[in-house]
Amino acid sequence: MTSAPSVARVKRAGKKRAKAQPKAGPAKVVQVASRRPAASPDIEVGRRVLMMEANGLAALAANLDGNFSKAVDILMDVSREGGHARAIISGMGKSGHVARKIAATLASTGTPASFVHPGEASHGDLGMIMPGDVVICLSNSGETQELADVIAHAKRFAIPLIAMTKKAKSALGDAADVVLLVPPVEEACPIAQAPTTSTTMMLALGDALAVALMERKGFTKDQFHVFHPGGKLGKQLVKVKDLMHSGTEMPLVPVGTPMREALVTMAGRSFGCIGIVGKTGRDKDKLLGIITDGDLRRHIEGDLLNQKVEAVMTKKPITIRSNQLAGEALGEMNRRRITAFFVIDNSRPVGILHMHDCVRAGIT
């Protein structure tokens, strides 16, 4: 039978282990990748492609030069108010799909733009490209045969030509007024043939042009809403003035009105409140107060019907402006637990907005 180790032996063993352990140093930073579980081959391919395309975008950003500013200068002429010029974007194959997206992005951000298919251009659609326009051609090699007629048309009518290509020394590059070079980064596909990294860079370059134009022009949310009236985005940009009730729809009575008359007006408008406006002097037509259901409950025990509105109203009511976003107004209603706002411009009521107006418009 083995005897239990003595206390002395345990202490000696503990000391030996303590000497063998290294002193504590700064904690090592563990790379996130080392913690990731083993990925399937498909996931590894996906990561490799995404990293290759990300590296392509980094190279594109690093190589951006003065030609980018020149391209923005040329496109600014298209955006002049009152003009009829457009940016014409063209490309073949995968570059054509990217060109369509660039045209859509430019058009939605205040730069009139259209996509013209190079094959259709040779059969009549060249008539869509007019003097005063700007042409942007996309071609990875710069030697896309289908673009030849578009390029020739641009040169014939002195239409500015911007090229997006990997090769400055090419048919497209030599003809262009401005060349936006796409760096010669390897395509992400295993045979280095399918347009992947190159089309990602062209797509991002189109976004960069659109955003640079937006900032140069000071493009606003109001202008953006003009081109995006539908869908969730359009609802987020709806203004108070788009939903408010105005004119005779507003429940308003002048100061000095007996409550008996004010209640009739209040009931007839169905907003749950009534505004009190001034009659003379500097207060004429200004909103002096508001009477709500809550005010009526607070004065119900007195001689309510024979009182004047100014004795019952809440002075300096919460109001909103007509150019505020309706979503902002709805949020304020929820925070303050009220159902309607009077809309004020220069201290005078120009409308009234009810919570139900926002809900009906799909604003949440």
Side-chain angles (χ1 to χ4, degrees):
M1 182 172 171
T2 306
S3 60
S6 68
V7 174
R9 286 171 60 192
V10 170
K11 286 184 177 179
R12 286 196 297 272
K15 287 180 180 179
K16 288 181 180 179
R17 285 196 298 272
K19 289 180 181 179
Q21 290 176 351
K23 292 183 179 180
K28 292 183 179 180
V29 177
V30 180
Q31 297 295 328
V32 175
S34 66
R35 293 183 177 180
R36 286 194 306 219
S40 70
D42 294 334
I43 293 175
E44 288 301 332
V45 170
R47 287 174 179 160
R48 185 189 73 229
V49 170
L50 293 174
M51 288 307 302
M52 289 182 72
E53 297 200 1
N55 291 336
L57 292 176
L60 176 64
N63 293 336
L64 218 58
D65 57 17
N67 279 351
F68 183 80
S69 292
K70 291 178 182 178
V72 175
D73 289 338
I74 293 172
L75 288 167
M76 276 294 293
D77 291 334
V78 172
S79 306
R80 305 296 180 195
E81 290 187 12
H84 300 286
R86 294 168 303 156
I88 304 297
I89 326 296
S90 190
M92 193 68 191
K94 306 299 185 295
S95 294
H97 294 304
V98 174
R100 286 181 185 274
K101 193 274 178 184
I102 293 175
T105 300
L106 288 171
S108 71
T109 53
T111 301
S114 298
F115 170 76
V116 171
H117 191 286
E120 298 295 336
S122 301
H123 296 274
D125 280 3
L126 282 176
M128 299 173 65
I129 308 174
M130 304 294 291
D133 291 343
V134 176
V135 173
I136 303 177
C137 285
L138 282 63
S139 172
N140 191 35
S141 66
E143 302 291 347
T144 303
Q145 183 59 40
E146 291 85 352
L147 286 172
D149 289 336
V150 175
I151 296 170
H153 183 79
K155 302 311 292 181
R156 176 184 178 188
F157 292 99
I159 298 171
L161 176 62
I162 298 171
M164 282 191 196
T165 181
K166 190 180 288 185
K167 296 182 180 180
K169 295 298 180 182
S170 61
L172 175 58
D174 290 340
D177 298 289
V178 175
V179 177
L180 299 177
L181 272 178
V182 176
V185 179
E186 185 180 359
E187 300 288 5
C189 84
I191 58 174
Q193 296 297 311
T196 46
T197 309
S198 59
T199 48
T200 297
M201 289 188 288
M202 285 183 177
L203 189 67
L205 194 51
D207 289 342
L209 283 173
V211 173
L213 284 163
M214 288 176 69
E215 295 197 10
R216 181 87 76 88
K217 293 181 292 186
F219 197 74
T220 65
K221 282 187 177 181
D222 288 342
Q223 293 169 305
F224 194 74
H225 177 47
V226 171
F227 303 118
H228 299 78
K232 184 177 180 181
L233 179 61
K235 292 172 184 175
Q236 290 174 343
L237 297 174
V238 169
K239 296 288 189 69
V240 167
K241 62 185 176 184
D242 299 323
L243 301 179
M244 70 183 190
H245 303 264
S246 58
T248 57
E249 293 184 83
M250 290 188 289
L252 296 173
V253 296
V255 66
T257 302
M259 280 299 301
R260 189 183 303 273
E261 295 179 21
L263 287 174
V264 173
T265 302
M266 184 173 175
R269 300 295 192 277
S270 302
F271 288 105
C273 64
I274 189 168
I276 316 304
V277 294
K279 288 197 299 185
T280 59
R282 290 189 301 178
D283 289 338
K284 185 174 175 57
D285 296 329
K286 288 186 178 181
L287 187 69
L288 303 180
I290 185 174
I291 297 175
T292 66
D293 293 336
D295 294 312
L296 296 179
R297 287 193 297 271
R298 283 187 288 272
H299 291 81
I300 195 67
E301 293 182 359
D303 190 12
L304 176 64
L305 296 180
N306 292 319
Q307 294 189 60
K308 302 292 186 182
V309 287
E310 56 266 31
V312 180
M313 72 182 186
T314 296
K315 297 179 180 179
K316 297 181 180 178
I318 302 163
T319 60
I320 52 174
R321 299 182 308 277
S322 61
N323 62 350
Q324 285 183 250
L325 293 176
E328 181 184 359
L330 181 60
E332 193 68 14
M333 288 180 192
N334 288 325
R335 281 190 292 274
R336 297 183 180 274
R337 297 184 179 181
I338 58 179
T339 57
F341 276 130
F342 272 99
V343 185
I344 298 298
D345 281 345
N346 296 322
S347 300
R348 288 170 171 77
V350 294
I352 185 169
L353 179 71
H354 196 278
M355 180 179 288
H356 292 164
D357 300 319
C358 298
V359 174
R360 280 193 292 268
I363 297 166
T364 57

